Amino acid sequence: MIQTTMTTSTITQTNTQKIRITFLMRSAQGGGAERVTIALANQLAAKGYHIDFIFIQAVGPFLQDIDHRIHVIDLGVRRTLLAPVKLYQQLKRHRPDVLISALNYINIMAIMACRCLKGKRPKTMITEHGTLSAVLESLRGTGKLVPMLMQRCYPFADRIIAVSHGVADDLAQQLQLSPQQIQTIYNPMDFDKIFSKKNIPLNHPWVNCGIPLILGAGRLVEVKNFPLLIAAFERVRAQQACRLVIIGEGEKRTELETQIQSSAYAQDIALLGFSDNPYQWMAAANLFVLSSRTEGLPTVLIEALLCGTQVISTDCPYGPREILQDGQFGSLVPVDDVAALAAEMLKKLQHTSAPQIDLTTLAQRFGQDSITLQYEQEIQQLCSGATA
């Protein structure tokens, strides 16, 4: 198992002002990786670092969350394959000390662009938010080149950061990397923001109406497996009154709408689209369910726990078992098992008390101050020439 590292080195304001950091992502669309990466950039900007944020396309709802001190650069290309030249030009112009990227194909681009620069090159810190093994069979066209390019390029990264121990182990195995080459740093969570936003009144007829509310949240994509959640809900609804709300947007919306329309309980299921405040819904729900086939570190589980909601998750690779401490803080059910999920949902609705969570422990593991400090220490080590 790859251990999370955290030193006690002192980080001074003088050091931060001398370091220029560039973040690189595809867009600011509504995914977990985008949200936590922007949150990290905001934290570092608030600490005095000079932050640039390069987007392949600067579009998406999370753009509004970017700190005003951050310089946003839009490469303005529609396809990622067309972006490397523009990225190289921006890096040559701005010469950051550290380049932080997220998601595998963007990481490949970051490493290659930095390797092509002459003179002083930015230190590359690449972050992995998902499991490579889970997507190998679904790769199509040029996407099939991604694992090979990762295997060739990743050893040249100055830091490889995985968002969970499971993601780190999987990455090491798939790319035949030494576990010592990969470090685990969990995603940063803004506890204060969650606590304040969850208490904002939610005006919806399904809230506080006496009928139990089940919530799912995430991108409407295949890996999130919302058809499983809907099918399990139908079994529960056949035995007791309840309602299902799913918040999020994605390519599978039409298919999910078709599934819901054909359901005998369509009137009790709602796809509400993207929400800029999911915490209201988490606080209002009697039960939060994660139905995914795979995950990296599903922060929605942590958010639901902080909102005081009972939690059920598929025991998918990787992340849920780490977050829920082997089932201590929520239930784990087999992946793709509709009967097991429905049975656990029904059980939870009949026992409405969420487990007591030690917020101090959660803050140490996932709080943004703790996580940002870990990133700062890695950045300072890179800029001082220290090795991992």
Side-chain angles (χ1 to χ4, degrees):
M1 179 61 67
I2 302 167
Q3 299 298 316
T4 303
T5 61
M6 184 171 177
T7 66
T8 57
S9 59
T10 301
I11 296 173
T12 67
Q13 186 71 18
T14 302
N15 289 341
T16 66
Q17 293 172 348
K18 292 181 179 180
I19 296 177
R20 184 167 192 154
I21 304 169
T22 294
F23 283 82
L24 173 66
M25 291 203 74
R26 183 180 64 85
S27 71
Q29 297 289 4
E34 290 82 357
R35 182 169 53 172
V36 298
T37 303
I38 289 172
L40 175 62
N42 288 345
Q43 280 290 104
L44 293 173
K47 286 175 172 282
Y49 293 90
H50 182 108
I51 306 293
D52 297 313
F53 211 125
I54 298 178
F55 290 101
I56 307 303
Q57 277 193 299
V59 296
F62 292 142
L63 283 177
Q64 65 184 3
D65 297 332
I66 296 177
D67 191 286
H68 66 90
R69 289 165 288 201
I70 294 176
H71 177 215
V72 175
I73 301 170
D74 182 8
L75 297 185
V77 295
R78 293 187 176 182
R79 297 190 62 190
T80 303
L81 289 175
L82 303 178
V85 173
K86 287 194 173 184
L87 172 62
Y88 170 85
Q89 291 171 344
Q90 289 293 338
L91 294 177
K92 184 178 180 181
R93 179 180 306 156
H94 295 288
R95 292 286 176 173
D97 298 293
V98 179
L99 175 63
I100 302 176
S101 60
L103 304 178
N104 48 37
Y105 55 97
I106 301 296
N107 293 337
I108 292 168
M109 186 190 308
I111 295 168
M112 294 179 69
C114 288
R115 296 291 296 179
C116 289
L117 288 171
K118 295 181 180 179
K120 183 183 177 182
R121 297 169 177 163
K123 300 293 185 180
T124 50
M125 181 183 292
I126 61 175
T127 63
E128 276 294 334
H129 292 254
T131 53
L132 178 59
S133 62
V135 300
L136 289 177
E137 293 184 2
S138 64
L139 295 175
R140 298 289 184 270
T142 56
K144 292 183 177 180
L145 297 175
V146 169
M148 180 191 70
L149 291 172
M150 291 172 68
Q151 194 168 34
R152 295 286 182 87
C153 293
Y154 274 35
F156 291 101
D158 295 286
R159 289 290 190 277
I160 304 175
I161 306 295
V163 299
S164 73
H165 296 302
V167 168
D169 292 339
D170 180 79
L171 190 65
Q173 181 178 359
Q174 294 299 320
L175 299 186
Q176 299 178 341
L177 297 171
S178 166
Q180 284 68 43
Q181 292 178 266
I182 308 170
Q183 295 165 263
T184 297
I185 302 180
Y186 289 135
N187 287 331
M189 307 291 297
D190 187 344
F191 285 26
D192 291 338
K193 176 182 177 181
I194 293 170
F195 290 145
S196 64
K197 296 189 75 172
K198 80 182 181 71
N199 292 322
I200 297 174
L202 182 58
N203 183 23
H204 192 278
W206 286 9
V207 173
N208 297 322
C209 66
I211 299 176
L213 182 64
I214 300 167
L215 178 67
R219 290 176 299 123
L220 306 184
V221 294
E222 184 174 355
V223 71
K224 299 298 182 182
N225 203 8
F226 285 116
L228 173 71
L229 175 55
I230 294 170
F233 169 79
E234 290 176 314
R235 295 193 181 199
V236 175
R237 178 63 185 84
Q239 299 188 54
Q240 78 163 74
C242 55
R243 286 172 172 147
L244 173 65
V245 165
I246 298 174
I247 53 177
E249 274 299 346
E251 61 196 41
K252 295 295 183 179
R253 168 175 274 278
T254 301
E255 294 178 26
L256 292 173
E257 288 174 338
T258 301
Q259 181 183 0
I260 292 169
Q261 289 166 4
S262 66
S263 172
Y265 306 107
Q267 72 279 3
D268 294 319
I269 307 172
L271 292 180
L272 296 186
F274 176 82
S275 171
D276 60 2
N277 186 2
Y279 316 118
Q280 292 172 296
W281 283 102
M282 291 175 181
N286 300 85
L287 177 61
F288 180 85
V289 180
L290 183 80
S291 53
S292 299
R293 292 191 174 100
T294 67
E295 285 286 351
L297 186 80
T299 54
V300 288
L301 285 182
I302 308 167
E303 292 166 341
L305 291 174
L306 292 173
C307 291
T309 312
Q310 294 190 104
V311 166
I312 300 174
S313 175
T314 53
D315 192 12
C316 64
Y318 299 93
R321 183 168 286 274
E322 283 185 47
I323 292 170
L324 299 180
Q325 296 285 276
D326 297 323
Q328 180 181 351
F329 298 142
S331 299
L332 293 162
V333 298
V335 176
D336 271 328
D337 191 330
V338 64
L341 179 56
E344 192 62 29
M345 289 166 64
L346 192 60
K347 177 181 175 182
K348 289 286 189 185
L349 289 180
Q350 294 170 350
H351 300 84
T352 57
S353 59
Q356 293 297 314
I357 305 298
D358 184 349
L359 294 181
T360 300
T361 300
L362 276 184
Q364 290 173 344
R365 295 180 68 206
F366 304 113
Q368 65 177 4
D369 291 342
S370 173
I371 299 304
T372 303
L373 177 60
Q374 292 179 59
Y375 271 100
E376 280 193 274
Q377 289 162 349
E378 297 301 327
I379 291 166
Q380 299 268 349
Q381 287 179 6
L382 286 175
C383 293
S384 67
T387 57

